[in-house]
Amino acid sequence: MADRSQHPRKVMEYKTRDRINSAVESWRRELAGQAGLTAEIRRELETHLADCISAFRQLGLSDEVCFRLARQRIGRPQKLDAEFEKVMNPATFWKRPMLIAAWAVFVVSFFLPSYTVMRGWQCALLQHTFWPQVLQGDLMAIHYELLTFANLLMLASPLFLAHLSNTVKQVQWLQHITLAATILVWSFALQLVIHQDAGGLKIGCLAWLLSFTLLYVAVVVQASEVRRSKVARHP
Amino acid sequence: MLAKDMVAASAKPLLLSILAEGESYGYEIIQKVRDISGGKIEWSDGMLYPVLHRMERDGLIESEWKEADSGRQRKYYYLSSNGRNVLKNERQQWLTVHNTLARLWNIKPVTA
């Protein structure tokens, strides 16, 4: 009789254990899914999880609750991965001389004569007069308007490089959009040359073109650093 | 409870000081910080490891996987000679801040 009454409890225990085992497995898989968490880091976190579970067990909590609390204390795997990226590979504006140079040249270019007698900032503000041509599908005017995005990207580049270039994926995106902006500004200058307007180009325009080239180099350098740091962590 | 900025700023000297007393591992370090601070400094468990790994990369601490008494394999951290020198410097700097504030608040200063 005693055996029969204990049977349902044993079944419950087995079911609970199965549930915990599958929850631990799923947690392990989630950790393994984070590119920045190496096998060694995962092993360390698993040891920490086991230590937490042992401590909670001593408080008399059920295994299921122990696991849930321990997992909560360690935190979400995605957040851990981001934290490892941030701490192991900090990217700050002031540590990037190439970026500072790009930004400085860009700012200076706005105050230099850029096209005939117009200074850089005057050329940038001129874009609003091109909207009628844009609406008529004039490609040169569309190209001119798109330069606004390139300029905005350049203005925001210190922020992007400081906060959005810590992972390989982020830096790849940044590299793509910076390349697009660089092609955009150089192709615009090329069009002026093709249309025999090259004589109107002044030093400000050259500085502006140089600033985008420097920015692209800065992003490429950052990308290679991030990739190298990734390889160092995943030998 | 200590503000987030203060927790971040004090992490390095606290870790160096704890490891100066002897080798330790992640879970134990968190318990020590909680006990010594009377529960006023609460480190998020998962956030400790990125800091430990950065300090290891910077040569301040070293680590070794060892079997604990419980039979469980754990990664133990210990202070490197460079870490010991950095701790001396950190100690001086924190005492300077502490003593400056202590004088301003009329609290007895601490000698190094």
Side-chain angles (χ1 to χ4, degrees), chain B residues 98-111:
Chain B
H98 173 86
N99 287 340
T100 308
L101 289 171
R103 285 196 181 99
L104 285 166
W105 296 334
N106 295 320
I107 305 167
K108 200 179 166 191
V110 178
T111 49

Side-chain angles (χ1 to χ4, degrees), chain A residues 40-41 43-45 47-48 50-52 54-55 73-74 79-80 83-84 87-90, chain B residues 25-27 30-31 34 44-47 49-51 53-54 57 65 72-75 77:
Chain A
E40 192 180 353
I41 294 172
R43 187 179 165 201
E44 203 176 4
L45 291 171
T47 315
H48 191 95
D51 281 333
C52 284
S54 304
R73 286 192 60 159
I74 292 176
K79 203 175 163 194
L80 278 171
E83 197 63 27
F84 265 101
V87 165
M88 301 296 282
N89 182 34
Chain B
Y25 55 94
Y27 184 80
I30 287 177
Q31 296 301 319
R34 191 176 296 139
S44 145
D45 291 22
M47 295 305 116
Y49 292 99
V51 180
H53 281 242
R54 187 184 57 191
R57 185 195 61 186
W65 282 92
R72 192 176 288 158
Q73 283 279 329
R74 283 203 187 98
K75 193 178 178 186
Y77 292 91

Side-chain angles (χ1 to χ4, degrees), chain A residues 126-139:
Chain A
L126 206 64
Q127 54 91 16
H128 73 274
T129 60
F130 281 80
W131 275 108
Q133 287 100 310
V134 170
L135 296 173
Q136 285 163 14
D138 184 325
L139 286 176

Side-chain angles (χ1 to χ4, degrees), chain A residues 2-234:
Chain A
D3 280 343
R4 285 179 70 184
S5 66
Q6 277 179 0
H7 181 68
R9 193 186 297 164
K10 282 229 161 95
V11 170
M12 284 293 285
E13 276 175 16
Y14 288 141
K15 279 187 175 172
T16 308
R17 198 160 297 165
D18 277 352
R19 259 203 317 273
I20 295 168
N21 286 343
S22 89
V24 171
E25 261 319 300
S26 137
W27 181 73
R28 279 194 185 124
R29 275 198 302 274
E30 216 181 328
L31 280 186
Q34 309 306 316
L37 302 181
T38 60
E40 192 180 353
I41 294 172
R42 296 202 303 272
R43 187 179 165 201
E44 203 176 4
L45 291 171
E46 280 180 31
T47 315
H48 191 95
L49 185 91
D51 281 333
C52 284
I53 289 174
S54 304
F56 286 130
R57 267 199 194 124
Q58 283 175 8
L59 299 174
L61 300 171
S62 73
D63 283 358
E64 220 166 355
V65 173
C66 287
F67 169 70
R68 211 174 51 233
L69 289 175
R71 193 182 55 185
Q72 262 174 21
R73 286 192 60 159
I74 292 176
R76 287 176 49 236
Q78 293 88 341
K79 203 175 163 194
L80 278 171
D81 188 35
E83 197 63 27
F84 265 101
E85 287 282 358
K86 202 167 78 186
V87 165
M88 301 296 282
N89 182 34
T92 57
F93 178 61
W94 299 111
K95 286 183 186 166
R96 315 261 159 226
M98 192 73 84
L99 176 67
I100 297 170
W103 215 71
V105 172
F106 175 76
V107 172
V108 169
S109 77
F110 267 54
F111 299 96
L112 293 173
S114 288
Y115 186 73
T116 63
V117 291
M118 286 194 295
R119 290 179 189 275
W121 63 270
Q122 289 169 315
C123 294
L125 290 180
L126 206 64
Q127 54 91 16
H128 73 274
T129 60
F130 281 80
W131 275 108
Q133 287 100 310
V134 170
L135 296 173
Q136 285 163 14
D138 184 325
L139 286 176
M140 187 78 177
I142 293 171
H143 200 158
Y144 196 84
E145 295 297 336
L146 287 174
L147 296 179
T148 308
F149 292 106
N151 285 334
L152 289 175
L153 170 74
M154 175 60 95
L155 276 175
S157 57
L159 278 176
F160 281 130
L161 269 173
H163 301 292
L164 289 171
S165 65
N166 292 320
T167 66
V168 172
K169 209 171 182 178
Q170 283 175 341
V171 92
Q172 264 173 356
W173 268 103
L174 200 58
Q175 199 174 335
H176 292 327
I177 56 172
T178 314
L179 179 65
T182 310
I183 290 173
L184 213 57
V185 297
W186 273 99
S187 58
F188 185 75
L190 204 64
Q191 278 200 61
L192 290 177
V193 174
I194 291 166
H195 289 90
Q196 283 156 7
D197 270 345
L201 295 179
K202 302 292 176 201
I203 188 155
C205 185
L206 297 177
W208 180 65
L209 293 170
L210 174 69
S211 72
F212 278 91
T213 312
L214 287 173
L215 177 68
Y216 183 64
V217 174
V219 173
V220 169
V221 169
Q222 169 76 9
S224 76
E225 275 178 21
V226 171
R227 282 191 201 104
R228 212 172 35 239
S229 135
K230 203 84 175 173
V231 170
R233 287 164 61 194
H234 297 270

